[in-house]
Amino acid sequence: MTTLTGFAALYRDRETLSLRTRLFFTFGAVAALHLAAVVLLLVGTTGGAEPLALGLVVTAYVAGVKHSYDWDHIAAIDNSTRKFVAQRKDPVSVGFAFSLGHSSVVVLAGMLVVLGVTVIGQFMEDGTAGNKILGLIGSGVAGLFLLIMGLFNGSAFIRAAQLYREVQAGGEVQPEDLETKGFVARLLAKPLAKVERPRNIYVIGFLFGLGFDTATTIGLLVITTTASLAGVSPLALMALPLAFTAAMTLCDSANGVVMMKMYASAIHDPQRKLGFNAVITGISAVSALFISVITLGGFLNEAFGLEDPLTSWLGGIDLGDAGLILVALLLSAWGFSAWRPRQGKNPRWISEISNSM
């Protein structure tokens, strides 16, 4: 009881903990998910079927890794992270919270499969009412959230680009000028008011996951159903969604931390602040807006049964592997900024900002 009370107190005061401690707890939770999957596999295969169960768990783990690099995952995590960093926060658990929310849907569906609840098949089968309703919820939430974040970070990009041009022309910049301002930021302040901390992203991730329309999610549930019919024990079956969750939380948590470092170096380091901030904010904003248009186009096509070529084309686009392109673009921008030699002394506006921070 004392231990639980201590953990509860740590959770309440988590924002006062050091960055290293919060990183330890975040990746400690990821490690616990890996351990739980291994324990379930070992306990569930004591009676046999070890090769089959092990192969299925490895397949589920690889599927989790692949799913974490879907473009909507990357865009949601990156844009949310930029918002928190701009508010002078260290959002170490954005990726973990989003991934855990997203994979919670898969774990719950896996439990229903293991329990023999046949209704889950309605959500997996394309064209059924259940599949359509959940798909609309998932795509609608994803599209609107990415649209809002894209507009918010887009306004930040425009502001950063303007400041960069002013500095290039010899102007001076005050620290408060680097904050996100303008009509769009004020307009979106209310919709984003509930997204104050990384844990709020859990709900966003859960709603994203309600759409049973991704190949990895459906594939995992089909594998679980097939393994259940083949006689694999329930405990070993539950290792499948847990392995999927462990892999996805590991990759998404790492992505969130890398993006936190990247945006922090852009926003808090005056030597790279304006140009680098404009570039990576622009990439994230464009990616979020791009995906929101595709997602909302598919949403409208499905919701209203449209047959026009535009929404039909948007609804058929697969962004499963495109997330790797986005990651490569952001890392390339960060790498170029780190590699580029710094010549001469800092301009006067940089020194003034550095002294004021």
Side-chain angles (χ1 to χ4, degrees), residues 79-100:
N79 280 265
S80 301
T81 299
R82 193 224 171 267
K83 174 184 180 293
F84 290 128
V85 172
Q87 296 171 341
R88 300 300 191 268
K89 298 176 182 177
D90 294 319
V92 299
S93 58
V94 168
F96 178 78
F98 179 88
S99 185
L100 193 64

Side-chain angles (χ1 to χ4, degrees), residues 71-83 145-157 255 258-260 262-263 266 276-292 325-327 329-331 333:
W71 199 322
D72 58 341
H73 270 243
I74 304 295
I77 294 169
D78 292 358
N79 280 265
S80 301
T81 299
R82 193 224 171 267
K83 174 184 180 293
F145 179 74
L146 290 174
L147 178 63
I148 291 172
M149 294 304 299
L151 291 173
F152 181 82
N153 287 330
S155 67
F157 163 71
N255 173 50
V258 169
M259 293 308 302
M260 179 190 71
M262 187 182 297
Y263 284 121
F276 182 42
N277 186 23
V279 170
I280 63 170
T281 301
I283 293 174
S284 290
V286 169
S287 68
L289 292 173
F290 176 64
I291 300 165
S292 70
I325 300 174
L326 179 57
V327 172
L329 284 174
L330 292 167
L331 291 178

Side-chain angles (χ1 to χ4, degrees), residues 285-304:
V286 169
S287 68
L289 292 173
F290 176 64
I291 300 165
S292 70
V293 169
I294 293 175
T295 305
L296 291 176
F299 171 85
L300 293 173
N301 181 267
E302 182 71 19
F304 300 102

Side-chain angles (χ1 to χ4, degrees), residues 227-253:
S228 176
L229 296 174
V232 177
S233 72
L235 288 177
L237 289 175
M238 281 309 303
L240 300 182
L242 266 183
F244 180 87
T245 300
M248 193 158 59
T249 54
L250 175 62
C251 295
D252 282 346
S253 297

Side-chain angles (χ1 to χ4, degrees), residues 63-64 66-74 76-77 94-110 138-139 141-142 199-218 220-221 241 244-245 248-249 252:
K66 183 181 183 297
H67 194 55
S68 68
Y69 289 103
D70 281 4
W71 199 322
D72 58 341
H73 270 243
I74 304 295
I77 294 169
V94 168
F96 178 78
F98 179 88
S99 185
L100 193 64
H102 194 86
S103 56
S104 292
V105 177
V106 179
V107 171
L108 289 173
S139 61
V141 169
R199 68 173 181 271
N200 300 135
I201 303 298
Y202 174 89
V203 178
I204 302 296
F206 185 88
L207 295 174
F208 266 53
L210 286 178
F212 283 87
D213 53 355
T214 58
T216 47
T217 301
I218 295 176
L220 177 66
L221 295 177
F244 180 87
T245 300
M248 193 158 59
T249 54
D252 282 346

Side-chain angles (χ1 to χ4, degrees), residues 12-352:
R12 287 194 299 270
D13 300 332
R14 60 196 174 280
E15 294 184 1
T16 64
L17 299 175
S18 67
L19 178 62
R20 181 176 297 181
T21 302
R22 281 181 287 153
L23 283 170
F24 173 79
F25 277 111
T26 297
F27 285 97
V30 173
L33 288 171
H34 281 75
L35 180 61
V38 171
V39 169
L40 284 176
L41 175 63
L42 293 176
V43 174
T45 56
T46 52
E50 292 92 342
L52 174 60
L54 178 60
L56 293 176
V57 167
V58 171
T59 301
Y61 192 88
V62 173
V65 172
K66 183 181 183 297
H67 194 55
S68 68
Y69 289 103
D70 281 4
W71 199 322
D72 58 341
H73 270 243
I74 304 295
I77 294 169
D78 292 358
N79 280 265
S80 301
T81 299
R82 193 224 171 267
K83 174 184 180 293
F84 290 128
V85 172
Q87 296 171 341
R88 300 300 191 268
K89 298 176 182 177
D90 294 319
V92 299
S93 58
V94 168
F96 178 78
F98 179 88
S99 185
L100 193 64
H102 194 86
S103 56
S104 292
V105 177
V106 179
V107 171
L108 289 173
M111 290 178 64
L112 292 175
V113 169
V114 172
L115 293 173
V117 179
T118 57
V119 71
I120 194 65
Q122 296 181 10
F123 302 131
M124 296 165 53
E125 187 177 346
D126 191 28
T128 60
N131 179 272
K132 185 174 182 178
I133 291 172
L134 290 185
L136 289 175
I137 293 174
S139 61
V141 169
L144 288 175
F145 179 74
L146 290 174
L147 178 63
I148 291 172
M149 294 304 299
L151 291 173
F152 181 82
N153 287 330
S155 67
F157 163 71
I158 293 173
R159 181 63 177 161
Q162 290 173 341
L163 291 173
Y164 182 73
R165 286 197 298 268
E166 291 175 10
V167 170
Q168 292 293 94
E172 295 185 2
V173 180
Q174 300 300 320
E176 58 270 17
D177 293 334
L178 297 163
E179 298 177 2
T180 305
K181 300 178 181 178
F183 171 75
V184 175
R186 292 193 298 270
L187 181 67
L188 299 177
K190 191 169 184 180
L192 292 176
K194 298 298 183 181
V195 187
E196 297 179 346
R197 293 178 176 83
R199 68 173 181 271
N200 300 135
I201 303 298
Y202 174 89
V203 178
I204 302 296
F206 185 88
L207 295 174
F208 266 53
L210 286 178
F212 283 87
D213 53 355
T214 58
T216 47
T217 301
I218 295 176
L220 177 66
L221 295 177
V222 169
I223 288 173
T224 305
T225 303
T226 305
S228 176
L229 296 174
V232 177
S233 72
L235 288 177
L237 289 175
M238 281 309 303
L240 300 182
L242 266 183
F244 180 87
T245 300
M248 193 158 59
T249 54
L250 175 62
C251 295
D252 282 346
S253 297
N255 173 50
V257 171
V258 169
M259 293 308 302
M260 179 190 71
K261 295 289 186 181
M262 187 182 297
Y263 284 121
S265 68
I267 293 178
H268 302 317
D269 183 353
Q271 291 182 316
R272 289 187 278 171
K273 188 168 294 185
L274 293 180
F276 182 42
N277 186 23
V279 170
I280 63 170
T281 301
I283 293 174
S284 290
V286 169
S287 68
L289 292 173
F290 176 64
I291 300 165
S292 70
V293 169
I294 293 175
T295 305
L296 291 176
F299 171 85
L300 293 173
N301 181 267
E302 182 71 19
F304 300 102
L306 303 179
E307 297 181 357
D308 64 289
L310 178 59
T311 60
S312 298
W313 175 68
L314 290 173
I317 294 177
D318 182 11
L319 294 174
D321 298 322
L324 292 173
I325 300 174
L326 179 57
V327 172
L329 284 174
L330 292 167
L331 291 178
S332 297
W334 192 20
F336 176 76
S337 177
W339 169 81
R340 187 177 56 185
R342 300 169 182 174
Q343 300 176 349
K345 295 183 178 179
N346 294 337
R348 184 161 59 90
W349 69 272
I350 287 181
S351 300
E352 290 176 355

